[in-house]
Amino acid sequence: MKKYELTIKGKKFDVEVKDFGGATAKVAVNGNEYDVDITYKGGEAVAFTPAAPRPAAARPAAAAAPAAAAPAAAPAGDVSGNNVVAPMPGLIMKVLVKVGDTVTAGQKVMTMEAMKMENDINSGTAGTVKAVLVKEGDNVKEHQPLVTIG
């Protein structure tokens, strides 16, 4: 999927994100594969934490993985509040919230189809829906704002 060369404390890591599915990902760090869980904050992936590493070398993956999320920087045009953003390009299948709805952190706000899989898109924060920026049937780009929560 995407490849990165990360340097952490002077040590280089080749990281490849092989499969990304909403709250989980499969990554290879220096050729070793790991299944990782993704921690969300404000609707954006900000850190990877190791979950069931395959080889014994789990320490480099834990150090390298947070930097792999760095390209998921705050989207341009962020309005007041927190944006829930698309974790990857895809097609919006279902929008489950409307303006004025109260949501909790981790609540499913829409379903998106990407790579022939349905992915739950969850709120990264609790609050009130201020704007729904897409509709069912829309194609979205990676990091595109979908919902604003204030």
Side-chain angles (χ1 to χ4, degrees), residues 18-108:
K18 294 184 169 225
D19 187 28
F20 185 83
T24 62
K26 184 176 296 280
V27 298
V29 179
N30 291 344
N32 297 317
E33 288 192 24
Y34 301 90
D35 293 318
V36 295
D37 293 325
I38 303 165
T39 304
Y40 286 88
K41 181 176 181 181
E44 299 176 80
V46 294
F48 290 104
T49 53
R54 289 184 191 157
R59 240 178 173 13
D78 188 11
V79 295
S80 67
N82 295 302
N83 280 338
V84 177
V85 298
M88 65 192 101
L91 174 71
I92 301 302
M93 302 297 292
K94 285 188 178 184
V95 177
L96 304 170
V97 295
K98 62 185 180 312
V99 173
D101 285 355
T102 300
V103 296
T104 58
Q107 179 179 332
K108 182 175 166 181

